[in-house]
């Protein structure tokens, strides 16, 4: 073998060895991750009548206000890593031995690899610390969250193109003694709200008596876990159901621009809307709006070419309000779409949780309720 061929052979061999070592390192790290995930899963506790895989409703992420309580962060969930494909070097039942041999070889090559036992101890300690801090502050052992979001599109000349309200009720049991319960709901809504219970919830029980309970009443709800039990949907084109109407009326003036009058009206006086922001687009190059009368506060964001009309609270005591402004070099169509955001501590649907009772003794268990309504998309086009 001449010198050139020998160099090529050595280069190829070194590249193959380097690649094999890299794959070995990755495999060792992956096996460690799998072992740690097995330890995490093994510390979750006993069984309940609710499977984790079937409790995933489409949740609504919104700011909330708790009745006599404050909201806490949901405990983090483990991240599951995608495993590698099958390998002849790995056999069922020999995973721990493979991990140790890989780790020993990596250590001999100078790699820093932490001990699996040390990692497992730290994971167990971390899980125990999390379990001790999962109780939400200022809430009862049975806690319910009513979360809603609204999507609305209305025409600038009037008329409701579409309005949809979706919501979900989640249950959190914070003490094992309260796991086997049934919750009495009250539905006073006559607008044709579509209700749907979770597959693990007794559908006939809710249909006949408006109670939420597990199909297998001898098993408890899981502890310290937010479980979706009921969701609903309401869709309409009835203008009377719009919670907050917006009337934006631009008109051309004799100065080559537009004078704009915009007003709001709270149609649903049962609601108290918080942090209301009405966003009106302003044409670029106009120099910004000149605001005259304004109820509430306003802010012009030049970078976004948007005028923000801000109202801290809109309720029955100030159900209407108006703002006037002028813009040079503008046309009537420049001021649409108008977008609105708000939140509320009352729900749109008339659905409430009255009480919670233990299945065996029928005794009442104290419960707390947290309600929130927020906009997902609310615009006048």
């Amino acid at each position: 073998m001449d010198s050139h061929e020998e160099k090529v052979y050595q280069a190829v061999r070194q590249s193959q060895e380097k690649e094999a070592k890299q794959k070995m390192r990755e495999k060792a790290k992956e096996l460690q991750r799998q072992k740690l995930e097995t330890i995490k899963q093994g510390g979750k506790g006993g069984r309940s009548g609710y499977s984790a895989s079937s409790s995933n409703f489409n949740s609504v992420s919104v700011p909330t206000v708790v009745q006599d309580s404050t909201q806490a962060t949901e405990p983090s969930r483990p991240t599951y890593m995608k495993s590698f494909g099958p390998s002849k070097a790995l056999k069922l039942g020999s995973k721990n031995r493979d991990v140790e041999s890989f780790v020993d070889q990596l250590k001999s090559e100078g790699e820093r690899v932490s001990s699996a036992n040390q990692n497992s101890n730290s994971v167990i300690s971390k899980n125990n610390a999390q379990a001790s801090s999962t109780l939400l502050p200022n809430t009862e052992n049975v806690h319910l969250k009513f979360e809603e979001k609204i999507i609305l599109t209305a025409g600038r000349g009037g008329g409701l193109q579409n309005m949809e309200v979706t919501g979900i009720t989640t249950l959190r049991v914070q003490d094992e003694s309260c796991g086997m319960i049934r919750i009495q709901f009250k539905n006073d809504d006559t607008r044709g709200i579509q209700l749907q219970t979770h597959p693990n919830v007794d559908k006939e029980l809710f249909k006949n008596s408006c109670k939420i309970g597990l199909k297998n009443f001898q098993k408890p709800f899981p502890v310290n876990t937010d479980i979706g039990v009921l969701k609903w949907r309401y869709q309409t084109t009835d203008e009377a159901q719009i919670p907050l109407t917006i009337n934006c009326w631009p008109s051309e003036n004799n100065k080559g621009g537009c004078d704009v009058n915009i007003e709001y009206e709270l149609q649903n006086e049962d609601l108290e809307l918080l942090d209301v922001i009405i966003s009106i687009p302003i044409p670029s190059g106009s120099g910004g709006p000149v605001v005259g009368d304004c109820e509430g506060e306003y802010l012009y964001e030049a970078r976004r070419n948007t005028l923000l009309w801000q109202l801290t609270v809109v309720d029955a005591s100030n159900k209407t309000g108006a703002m006037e402004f002028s813009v040079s070099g503008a046309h009537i169509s420049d001021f649409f779409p108008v977008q609105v955001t708000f939140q509320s501590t009352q729900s749109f649907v008339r659905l409430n949780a009255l009480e919670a009772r233990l299945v065996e003794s029928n005794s009442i268990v104290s419960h707390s309720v947290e309600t929130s309504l927020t906009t997902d998309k609310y615009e006048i086009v």
Side-chain angles (χ1 to χ4, degrees):
M1 183 181 296
D2 58 28
S3 176
H4 176 70
E5 292 178 344
E6 183 177 359
K7 289 181 180 179
V8 172
Y9 172 78
Q10 292 295 337
V12 171
R13 182 176 179 180
Q14 290 176 1
S15 177
Q16 291 175 341
E17 290 178 350
K18 184 177 180 181
E19 182 179 359
K21 288 182 180 180
Q22 181 64 27
K23 289 183 178 180
M24 190 187 309
R25 293 188 183 98
E26 293 176 353
K27 181 65 69 175
K29 292 178 181 178
E30 178 59 28
L31 291 173
Q32 283 186 300
R33 292 192 193 101
Q34 293 179 355
K35 185 174 181 179
L36 293 177
E37 294 300 335
T38 302
I39 294 173
K40 290 181 182 179
Q41 296 175 12
K44 288 186 177 180
R47 300 178 180 177
S48 69
Y50 227 88
S51 63
S53 61
S54 62
S55 63
N56 293 326
F57 276 100
N58 292 328
S59 61
V60 183
S61 180
V62 296
T64 56
V65 178
V66 184
Q67 297 178 4
D68 298 326
S69 63
T70 56
Q71 185 178 13
T73 304
E74 182 179 351
S76 59
R77 298 179 181 176
T79 301
Y80 296 93
M81 305 299 293
K82 183 177 179 181
S83 60
F84 287 87
S87 172
K88 294 181 180 180
L90 301 177
K91 296 181 180 180
L92 187 64
S94 63
K95 185 180 292 185
N96 292 341
R97 185 168 60 255
D98 290 326
V99 171
E100 293 172 358
S101 62
F102 274 136
V103 169
D104 290 340
Q105 183 170 353
L106 291 174
K107 286 182 177 179
S108 66
E109 296 177 0
E111 294 287 338
R112 294 186 61 185
V113 182
S114 59
S115 170
N117 291 333
Q118 292 176 353
N119 288 337
S120 63
N121 290 336
S122 63
V123 169
I124 293 173
S125 300
K126 183 177 181 180
N127 288 340
N128 290 338
Q130 289 180 345
S132 63
S133 61
T134 52
L135 185 65
L136 299 178
N138 301 321
T139 58
E140 300 294 341
N141 288 332
V142 176
H143 184 62
L144 293 156
K145 288 194 295 185
F146 289 74
E147 300 172 284
E148 284 183 326
K149 65 179 180 179
I150 181 171
I151 299 174
L152 182 145
T153 303
R156 66 185 70 178
L160 177 60
Q161 296 182 11
N162 181 60
M163 172 176 156
E164 183 181 48
V165 178
T166 56
I168 184 171
T169 297
T170 56
L171 167 67
R172 186 182 182 90
V173 175
Q174 303 186 106
D175 191 283
E176 292 182 357
S177 63
C178 302
M180 298 174 63
I181 57 171
R182 286 179 175 174
I183 303 165
Q184 180 68 62
F185 279 70
K186 184 181 181 182
N187 182 12
D188 291 329
D189 210 303
T190 59
R191 294 171 292 186
I193 306 294
Q194 300 175 12
L195 297 168
Q196 182 181 2
T197 56
H198 189 279
N200 286 349
V201 169
D202 191 334
K203 183 177 180 180
E204 292 301 316
L205 177 67
F206 183 78
K207 181 179 179 181
N208 297 327
S209 58
C210 207
K211 291 182 180 179
I212 290 291
L214 291 176
K215 289 181 179 178
N216 188 346
F217 61 88
Q218 295 181 341
K219 288 188 176 182
F221 286 98
V223 179
N224 292 327
T225 304
D226 289 331
I227 299 297
V229 293
L230 179 69
K231 62 180 180 180
W232 57 90
R233 178 175 177 267
Y234 174 67
Q235 191 169 15
T236 185
T237 55
D238 182 3
E239 291 183 68
Q241 300 302 324
I242 301 177
L244 184 70
T245 61
I246 305 296
N247 182 14
C248 182
W249 197 293
S251 57
E252 295 182 356
N253 56 33
N254 56 6
K255 300 178 182 179
C258 286
D259 298 326
V260 182
N261 295 81
I262 183 169
E263 62 180 0
Y264 70 83
E265 181 178 2
L266 180 68
Q267 291 199 138
N268 189 341
E269 296 186 19
D270 293 333
L271 292 176
E272 180 187 67
L273 306 183
L274 308 174
D275 301 327
V276 180
I277 300 177
I278 302 171
S279 303
I280 307 111
I282 303 297
S284 60
S286 63
V290 178
V291 179
D293 295 334
C294 177
E295 297 183 33
E297 299 179 350
Y298 69 89
L299 173 67
Y300 175 59
E301 292 190 349
R303 291 184 179 181
R304 295 175 52 203
N305 295 315
T306 304
L307 177 61
L308 304 179
W309 184 13
Q310 302 170 327
L311 301 135
T312 304
V313 179
V314 174
D315 57 16
S317 65
N318 65 330
K319 58 181 295 184
T320 62
M323 179 174 68
E324 299 178 1
F325 63 92
S326 299
V327 179
S328 61
H331 301 283
I332 292 176
S333 60
D334 292 336
F335 303 98
F336 297 93
V338 176
Q339 297 180 333
V340 184
T341 61
F342 58 77
Q343 59 181 328
S344 178
T345 58
Q346 291 96 26
S347 63
F348 178 84
V349 302
R350 301 179 180 96
L351 184 68
N352 299 300
L354 299 181
E355 63 180 16
R357 290 181 178 267
L358 296 176
V359 174
E360 294 183 353
S361 64
N362 200 36
S363 58
I364 294 178
V365 178
S366 297
H367 75 283
S368 52
V369 177
E370 172 183 351
T371 305
S372 67
L373 167 66
T374 189
T375 53
D376 186 30
K377 182 181 181 182
Y378 199 109
E379 62 181 9
I380 294 82
V381 297

